Amino acid sequence: MPMAMDDTEQQMLVQWCMAAQVFTESEFRQVIQRTYNTEEEEMEEIQPVVEQINSSMGAFSLELRSCMDQTTGTRRWALVNTNADAISTGATPYSASELVTLKTLVVGVFTEKMGNYSLSLHDALRIATKRNGTVAGTLTRAETESLIRKFCSDGWLATDSDDGYVVLGDRSIIELQSFFNVGFADYIRLCSLCKEMATLGIVCMECMEAVHPYCANRLMSASAGQLSCPACNKHIPQLNKFGPGERGVPHALESVAGSVRGESVAASVRGESVGVEEPATQSIKRLCIEDSSDEE
């Protein structure tokens, strides 16, 4: 496979990536094959193409990034804005009030107090209606549902097909890494095996490391069905799950009294008070104050 693209080939790939928004690695390979007019067996790796595109698009704060489907292991890609506030600069088709609502929902999902990275549809509607009402008049339930469906269609959010929970879409997980790192680092979980962000999976209560469902299945396949933590090698009970509809493992936050990360989470799971205010409420209040200041 050629290791260098001319300007026309690169422009074609970039335009396709922008139009597709979020795409599987298989789809990306097919487009690369058509662009190069090459056979699949001739193309061993797509990384050289990714590196060339990222090298030329870096000046425009654009970069090809990917994430793994946490259940199936399928890899998905997107051409993303690398600015910390990509949620505002990347979602340009939306009005100012829609951007505020999207940001509020993304933060609400990401900082959900039980660490499940999900909101019931009822809670999502309540948050979206209340927040939008402070900006551009209260939306009806039907209008709010339509707006959430729009966010899901564009990949920023998604709905769990079984129970109707609102979760982060692939586009948020891929594109908002800098946004989460800058403003919500305490809420980030990384899979101990693959080192990618985990918004559903299982937590080891010995060392507080997380494992994706897909990565957990890989570990169990290699150890006769037993799940051991990749970090501390302790057995992980299947009860310690987080994700839509799960019991959850609350995020570890250090309180003013100086709670230790592991002690805070373990106490939360046991139902004991750790002296930490509800994180979703704190974040949304802070976000509302920031947005009000910007509008003034």
Side-chain angles (χ1 to χ4, degrees), residues 87 94 101-110 117 119 124 128 147-160 165-173 176:
I87 197 169
Y94 303 136
T101 302
L102 174 59
K103 185 181 289 188
T104 301
L105 285 169
V106 166
V107 171
V109 169
F110 199 70
Y117 300 97
L119 293 172
L147 185 57
I148 291 176
R149 284 197 298 270
K150 183 178 180 181
F151 295 150
C152 290
S153 176
D154 291 342
W156 294 105
L157 298 174
T159 53
D160 180 85
Y165 286 94
V166 176
V167 299
L168 295 179
D170 288 329
R171 190 171 179 184
S172 287
I173 293 175
L176 300 184

Side-chain angles (χ1 to χ4, degrees), residues 6-69:
D6 61 33
D7 291 342
T8 301
E9 291 171 334
Q10 179 167 294
Q11 184 177 9
M12 290 172 58
L13 280 175
V14 170
Q15 288 178 342
W16 180 86
C17 292
M18 295 179 71
Q21 296 187 349
V22 179
F23 43 92
T24 65
E25 187 160 307
S26 175
E27 292 170 333
F28 192 27
R29 283 178 176 274
Q30 291 173 12
V31 173
I32 294 173
Q33 289 166 27
R34 290 199 299 268
T35 303
Y36 279 112
N37 193 25
T38 186
E39 298 297 329
E40 183 175 0
E41 57 269 17
E42 297 178 27
M43 186 179 65
E44 297 179 359
E45 297 289 341
I46 65 171
Q47 196 57 36
V49 176
V50 172
E51 291 175 355
Q52 289 177 55
I53 291 177
N54 287 346
S55 176
S56 62
M57 300 303 292
F60 304 99
S61 298
L62 294 173
E63 182 177 285
L64 273 172
R65 290 179 181 172
S66 68
C67 72
M68 181 189 73
D69 185 289

Side-chain angles (χ1 to χ4, degrees), residues 203-267:
V203 171
C204 172
M205 299 308 295
E206 293 291 332
C207 65
M208 306 315 301
E209 292 290 328
V211 183
H212 290 135
Y214 174 75
C215 293
N217 289 334
R218 289 174 56 198
L219 290 170
M220 289 189 290
S221 297
S223 58
Q226 296 296 313
L227 180 58
S228 298
C229 177
C232 70
N233 207 37
K234 298 290 186 180
H235 174 67
I236 304 179
Q238 294 288 331
L239 293 175
N240 303 334
K241 292 183 179 180
F242 63 97
E246 298 293 351
R247 173 185 176 185
V249 179
H251 293 290
L253 295 174
E254 291 189 0
S255 67
V256 176
S259 301
V260 177
R261 175 178 170 85
E263 294 174 349
S264 297
V265 174

